[in-house]
């Protein structure tokens, strides 16, 4: 089981701020493919990966990073703090 | 070093005075404050979302890097989240060093990283509705100078 | 735009708050504060001499230039003269603009010009006696970037 | 008659903050030569022109600038404000 978190408009499109998933995905990209195959709201949220960022256990990461050992995956748009 | 991520407003003046009072060895203090902008007339409100846990970690790492790279006497970051009214301070950064070039560079470095690498997302609320603020290409490009 | 050359102490916090409150259209406020440094242990005192009349003219000209060059929403300069104790604020600069790059650049520009082109002279007073602060080559060189 | 002002260590070496001078000097450099010829304290103050600055009517100027029409000349070391 892995915690998946969504922020900003990703959260709004998917409709929940977080969920627990049972996945066999090897990489972040695999996990996204699983989600997109599930429901349209995921397809909508993950339509353009260039406008998305991912953090693994709260560290910015790449979509090709392996999920082995990861407990928390977060998807969000580019940050706009400051 | 002081790092606060909070929903409550903060007092820019009080924070600036307290910071300056604590850095007697340094001659130069730089502060940056980000305010909710008035977008052409009506004051906008803003909703700021963040990623609790990651936010603090990411900012602390930036501050550690700045402290070492510019041998700062001290550094401070305060960033708010939640609902903010027009004119309110969103966040502030303060840096102190012996000579001014270091304090300026470190404050700009912290701002560039905070903008694009700390997990905050701004939504502007106006009479026309709510809109997520898009990241600016200049902000991402600014990271290239460090 | 506010320019004050004064013997009296000023309150960095109060000035910062008042400045930020007056620039609702701007999203970015930068302040720089110069403090009397503690030179390795004992707090030094400082005596600052200036050239009344020329000081105000020179600073006003720099501020006018900065306002235009970076389309600032506002700018402020306060500079003290006379006797200052260790830890006291010597001067401050504040700038406000829509995006942060302008406020940072304008504040650095004003500092570079104030350092080397505004008629102030600092004398450090310590247990060893009094000594005029020498101009730093870096400060003169810094003007070259504008 | 011209007002001549001295600041910082220039003032200390010359011993007065300002004085009125009757001069026929054409340029700043001529005025300095007149002063240096007068008394040792001026010689001491003006020993190294590289470490001096001059303002004419409160505008930074050069040592070769003409004095015609100038009412106030000020000599001082490089500024150290900020």
């Amino acid at each position: 089981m892995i915690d998946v978190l969504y922020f900003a408009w990703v959260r709004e499109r998917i409709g929940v701020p977080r969920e627990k998933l049972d996945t066999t995905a090897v990489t972040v990209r695999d996990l996204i493919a699983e989600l997109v195959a599930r429901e349209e709201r995921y397809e909508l949220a993950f339509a353009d990966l260039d406008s998305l960022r991912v953090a693994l256990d709260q560290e910015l990461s790449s979509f090709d990073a392996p999920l082995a050992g990861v407990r928390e995956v977060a998807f969000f748009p580019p940050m706009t703090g400051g | 070093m002081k790092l606060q991520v909070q929903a409550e407003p903060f007092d820019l003046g009080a924070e600036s005075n307290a910071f300056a009072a604590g850095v007697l060895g340094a001659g130069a203090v730089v502060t940056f404050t980000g305010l909710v902008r008035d977008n052409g007339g009506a004051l906008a409100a803003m909703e700021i979302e963040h990623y609790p846990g990651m936010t603090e970690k990411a900012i602390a790492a930036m501050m550690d890097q700045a402290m070492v790279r510019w041998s700062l006497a001290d550094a401070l970051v305060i960033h708010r989240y939640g609902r903010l009214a027009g004119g309110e301070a969103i966040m502030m950064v303060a840096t102190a060093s012996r000579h001014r070039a270091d304090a300026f560079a470190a404050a700009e470095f912290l701002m560039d990283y905070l903008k694009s690498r700390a997990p905050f997302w701004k939504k502007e609320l106006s009479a026309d509705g709510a809109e997520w603020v898009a990241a600016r290409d200049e902000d991402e490009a600014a990271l290239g100078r460090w």
Side-chain angles (χ1 to χ4, degrees), chain B residues 1-24:
Chain B
M1 220 169 82
K2 176 173 170 177
L3 164 57
Q4 282 177 204
V5 180
Q6 61 186 49
E8 303 72 38
F10 63 91
D11 183 332
L12 163 63
E15 295 292 344
S16 298
N17 276 344
F19 184 79
V23 295
L24 287 186

Side-chain angles (χ1 to χ4, degrees), chain B residues 6-87:
Chain B
Q6 61 186 49
E8 303 72 38
F10 63 91
D11 183 332
L12 163 63
E15 295 292 344
S16 298
N17 276 344
F19 184 79
V23 295
L24 287 186
V29 171
V30 170
T31 72
F32 175 90
T33 310
L35 304 168
V36 180
R37 254 198 303 265
D38 154 17
N39 279 309
L43 281 180
M46 193 168 262
E47 181 79 34
I48 300 177
E49 186 167 331
H50 80 124
Y51 183 171
M54 179 172 169
T55 309
E56 292 79 357
K57 263 193 251 180
I59 299 176
M62 292 166 203
M63 293 176 81
D64 286 342
Q65 218 185 315
M67 291 293 289
V68 172
R69 185 156 170 187
W70 287 281
S71 13
L72 301 182
D74 201 2
L76 166 150
V77 172
I78 301 174
H79 204 303
R80 294 178 63 192
Y81 59 86
R83 179 112 181 194
L84 280 77

